[in-house]
Amino acid sequence: MKERLSDEINEVKDDFEEYVKSQVDLVKLQTAESVSKLVSGLLINMVLFYVFFFVLLFASIAIALWLDRLFESRSLGFIIVAGFYFIFGLLFLLFRKRIIEKPVIKSVIQLFFPNYISNDK
């Protein structure tokens, strides 16, 4: 009887150790998945940033040169384009929390806690 109880306790102990190891492996896999999604997302966004940066740069130069022909003043064309970016920068500065911070925070929370549902908008 004692020997049977001891065998059952050892079996339960072994099952518990296997369960804990499985849970640790699951957490490792979930962490690896989340980190790989984060890194791949960062790489994709970085490539897109550079592509759009150069598109925006050359489009800005083209618009400034077009304005040069329109107003017959190269400096005025570039000043108008710079003024547009200045106004855009001010608006971005004013609305940065709503435009960038909150969506990024929600994305990271969603990435690491996919079952988390937030009613806060």
Side-chain angles (χ1 to χ4, degrees), residues 27-39:
V27 169
K28 286 179 183 178
L29 286 172
Q30 288 172 338
T31 303
E33 179 185 22
S34 295
V35 169
S36 64
K37 283 182 181 179
L38 181 67
V39 169

